[in-house]
Amino acid sequence: MKTPLQVYNSLTREKETFTPLVEGRIGMYVCGPTVYNDVHLGNCRTFMSFDIIYRYLLYLGYKVRYVRNITDVGHLLDDGEDRILKGARLDQLEPMEVVQKYTNGFHDIMRVFNALPPSIEPRATGHIIDQIEMVQAILDSGYAYLANGSVYFDTLKFAKEKDVYGKLSGRVVEDLLAESRENLKNQDEKRHPADFALWMKASPEHIMRWNSPWSVGFPGWHLECSAMSTKYLGKTFDIHGGGNDLKFPHHENEVAQNFTACGCAPANYWLHTNMLLMNGRKMSKSDGNTISPEELFTGNSPHVSKGYSPMVIRFFVLQSHYRSTLDLSDEAMQAAEKGYRRLMEANKNLQKMTPAAGAKAGELDQEIVDLMDQAFDEMNDDFNTPRALARLFELASRINSLKDGHLPMQEVSAETLERLQKVFHNFIFDIFGLLDENTAESNGEASSLDTVMQLVIDIRQQARANKDWATSDMIRDALAAAKIQLKDGKDGTDWTKG
RNA sequence: GGUCGCGUGGCCGAGUGGCUAGGCAGAGGUCUGCAAAACCUCGUACAGCGGUUCGAAUCCGCUCGCGACCUCCA
């Protein structure tokens, strides 16, 4: 029934059967955000995708150490200014205030999206010593050089001597080395344009600075991930993830750093998520084609007609595969909203079901069992959430039919019903990480609201029994205005909020 | 300019050689006091042209269109 877990490895460009280094345990490193301004939706998609991967691995029973860093130093802008420093200057804050502010914001949003926190969330500034040690190791290996107090990686030498550079990102080394484009600002110290900084000597106005054997300065951008993944997961670990746009140069350079410092490849499986698009173009902080999570929640944006809840957005993400681009539009969000509600409704109906007396497994029973198995097979096939979701929707249609009496409950064994209830719940809440927003938000008041609603429904039922349509419709319309929908069914009336 | 990828019905989005993806929207029907919800049925989609094949959305070639990366980005 169950296929083994297959993952698409960016390094080999193939789906491979996943085998962890240590049985039952998985080390996973995902490149986190650079915290110099508000997190945007594109980041959220990536981290939601990895959250689902993380959750599924946990569901499969693995003990997963999930490390996702916070980059809070060393990430330079085009003009050579540190991202954090720029943020500090603009907001008139201490660099660490900037970092804290946007880290908090990032955490808040990820919590709203119901993403599980990583096991370890290391910060670059908290690992300066580890980074200095790694720079030294790379220098010792002979693949770095010193220039005016800065240390650069000798990409040319590495590419020539080791058959590694360019493999991950599919770069042709000769092309890289040719480097026809003129974009060499601030690069006069480098021997070759493809070289990159491991340690930068700080200019006098640069306030984020640390002592090192080479100069008072700061670490290069790619270094923190190499240093921190090695520290917490070892020289080689199972999964390294991140957005597609990090493949080059970030991940390629990470590999180069690890190779020279540790003598081995850092990760066995590289997983890359694809971009979130809007209007058919990459969502990007830099060119303004963007909508913030808050704007999408509130609908306060020219790109949407109304607000969409975090779980609708999460559902929207689930509907595409993590390696495909996903194009955000108002229409697509509306469809996702409907679909999300349908799925939640089906689950609610399912969880209320009880097996029929003397039920025996029939054809329908087998169909249900097959669909459940297929859903897991889809997840095992490189975390194919859209296909798994499709199977869940097929189950939803069976569930609703059973509820309405269009399909015979007698054909579903108690055992299968119980398993379906468990699997459906597991999928929606544990693996997909969705929340039922209708019940989640009420929580404590849920019971009192339930009581009131039951009263209102009873009164309306009485009116209907008396053919007092005016009263019954008034109740229905008034509730509708309050965003409560009544659903008349065979066994009485249900209601939903929103 | 170089590298890689994509182009699926009204919209989103799976699918890699023959078998129903799925969601949303639309049409018809069942149910209902009416409606909503739910259920059933339906549309014969694969950018264009050519090739390989008994058979292609799926493989190959060309053309057109779009995107990503090559420079900071999840």
Side-chain angles (χ1 to χ4, degrees):
Chain A
M1 130 201 166
K2 271 198 199 169
T3 53
L5 178 62
Q6 303 263 118
V7 301
Y8 181 87
N9 192 347
S10 302
L11 195 58
T12 58
R13 290 148 192 265
E14 280 175 356
K15 275 185 199 167
E16 300 173 5
T17 298
F18 179 77
T19 313
L21 283 164
V22 179
E23 199 184 335
R25 289 176 180 270
I26 293 173
M28 176 163 87
Y29 188 93
V30 174
C31 288
T34 302
V35 282
Y36 68 104
N37 66 10
D38 289 319
V39 67
H40 78 110
L41 255 189
N43 295 62
C44 296
R45 187 220 177 170
T46 289
F47 298 132
M48 273 191 255
S49 292
F50 280 109
D51 183 56
I52 290 152
I53 289 170
Y54 176 46
R55 285 168 175 274
Y56 189 61
L57 295 174
L58 290 175
Y59 181 83
L60 292 179
Y62 288 108
K63 297 194 79 154
V64 185
R65 180 178 292 166
Y66 173 24
V67 181
R68 188 184 64 206
N69 66 291
I70 295 279
T71 294
D72 56 359
V73 67
H75 207 151
L76 303 184
L77 294 162
D78 281 348
D79 57 10
E81 186 170 10
D82 187 288
R83 285 176 178 255
I84 306 300
L85 287 183
K86 179 173 186 180
R89 184 165 54 73
L90 293 177
D91 292 354
Q92 295 195 307
L93 295 170
E94 273 292 316
M96 281 302 117
E97 278 185 282
V98 175
V99 165
Q100 192 64 52
K101 176 178 164 188
Y102 293 116
T103 301
N104 290 345
F106 170 62
H107 286 160
D108 289 346
I109 292 293
M110 290 322 289
R111 203 172 301 120
V112 165
F113 280 127
N114 199 34
L116 296 172
S119 327
I120 303 175
E121 190 171 54
R123 288 185 179 193
T125 54
H127 296 75
I128 299 295
I129 290 171
D130 307 87
Q131 295 181 76
I132 288 173
E133 284 172 358
M134 187 166 253
V135 173
Q136 190 58 56
I138 298 171
L139 273 168
D140 292 347
S141 75
Y143 289 100
Y145 57 89
L146 202 62
N148 295 329
S150 292
V151 182
Y152 293 97
F153 189 88
D154 195 340
T155 307
L156 193 61
K157 182 181 180 193
F158 181 66
K160 276 184 177 165
E161 295 180 6
K162 307 274 180 183
D163 188 25
V164 170
Y165 202 76
K167 285 278 182 302
L168 177 65
S169 57
R171 283 310 111 150
V172 179
V173 174
E174 287 73 36
D175 292 352
L176 273 175
L177 301 184
E179 197 72 25
S180 57
R181 293 180 104 225
E182 288 297 312
N183 195 0
L184 308 177
K185 296 166 203 147
N186 236 351
Q187 300 194 333
D188 36 316
E189 288 175 349
K190 300 206 285 194
R191 291 183 191 163
H192 189 277
D195 293 353
F196 54 94
L198 299 174
W199 186 265
M200 297 279 275
K201 181 180 176 179
S203 54
E205 66 275 15
H206 202 110
I207 46 180
M208 294 178 86
R209 45 169 68 208
W210 292 265
N211 282 317
S212 81
W214 316 287
S215 64
V216 175
F218 55 95
W221 170 36
H222 315 297
L223 195 62
E224 83 280 18
C225 287
S226 287
M228 298 190 295
S229 65
T230 303
K231 175 161 186 168
Y232 296 112
L233 297 171
K235 289 181 177 178
T236 301
F237 49 94
D238 298 297
I239 297 173
H240 191 127
N244 223 348
D245 49 355
L246 291 182
K247 248 192 219 171
F248 190 88
H250 184 61
H251 287 158
E252 197 67 73
N253 291 351
E254 254 190 86
V255 171
Q257 290 168 345
N258 279 284
F259 231 94
T260 49
C262 309
C264 58
N268 284 341
Y269 303 92
W270 285 83
L271 270 52
H272 287 100
T273 58
N274 217 320
M275 298 294 100
L276 179 64
L277 309 181
M278 189 165 64
N279 308 318
R281 280 179 19 248
K282 185 174 115 169
M283 259 202 187
S284 167
K285 289 180 193 177
S286 48
D287 70 3
N289 183 47
T290 187
I291 182 169
S292 73
E294 289 85 357
E295 286 166 344
L296 192 51
F297 296 157
T298 59
N300 182 23
S301 160
H303 298 295
V304 289
S305 65
K306 51 172 278 201
Y308 297 97
S309 75
M311 287 306 115
V312 168
I313 298 163
R314 191 166 173 118
F315 179 90
F316 176 66
V317 167
L318 282 162
Q319 275 187 305
S320 75
H321 189 263
Y322 76 89
R323 280 191 289 116
S324 298
T325 54
L326 174 59
D327 200 348
L328 181 82
S329 68
D330 193 50
E331 234 181 334
M333 290 309 300
Q334 288 191 20
E337 185 169 60
K338 293 265 182 70
Y340 164 72
R341 289 194 180 151
R342 180 169 153 83
L343 189 67
M344 285 301 162
E345 265 317 289
N347 180 59
K348 231 161 78 184
N349 292 336
L350 170 65
Q351 300 305 336
K352 280 190 279 199
M353 284 179 181
T354 49
K360 273 204 312 240
E363 205 176 304
L364 176 61
D365 191 279
Q366 191 57 47
E367 238 175 75
I368 290 172
V369 168
D370 289 346
L371 282 169
M372 286 192 283
D373 291 345
Q374 283 164 21
F376 285 110
D377 284 344
E378 304 295 7
M379 286 303 287
N380 285 340
D381 182 11
D382 196 29
F383 313 102
N384 199 324
T385 57
R387 286 182 71 90
L389 247 190
R391 300 292 86 73
L392 254 46
F393 272 107
E394 288 180 58
L395 284 169
S397 137
R398 305 294 189 291
I399 290 165
N400 288 331
S401 290
L402 283 167
K403 177 187 174 248
D404 286 0
H406 296 304
L407 284 174
M409 203 65 193
Q410 287 77 17
E411 273 189 34
V412 183
S413 70
E415 187 195 355
T416 295
L417 179 64
E418 195 184 331
R419 181 174 166 222
L420 178 60
Q421 286 171 326
K422 188 163 170 285
V423 163
F424 216 80
H425 184 278
N426 286 156
F427 250 108
I428 294 177
F429 300 108
D430 304 334
I431 297 171
F432 290 162
L434 294 167
L435 295 169
D436 191 339
E437 292 176 324
N438 288 331
T439 55
E441 69 189 42
S442 2
N443 247 348
E445 331 158 18
S447 58
S448 66
L449 183 59
D450 278 346
T451 311
V452 173
M453 280 307 300
Q454 202 47 57
L455 174 68
V456 173
I457 286 169
D458 287 347
I459 292 170
R460 176 162 168 274
Q461 199 44 51
Q462 198 126 39
R464 294 177 74 201
N466 296 333
K467 297 197 193 288
D468 179 3
W469 310 130
T471 301
S472 85
D473 289 354
M474 184 195 76
I475 290 172
R476 184 173 71 195
D477 296 345
L479 287 173
K483 297 252 171 138
I484 291 176
Q485 187 191 26
L486 291 179
K487 297 179 177 182
D488 295 327
K490 283 247 183 312
D491 314 315
T493 300
D494 273 341
W495 60 279
T496 51
K497 232 173 119 180

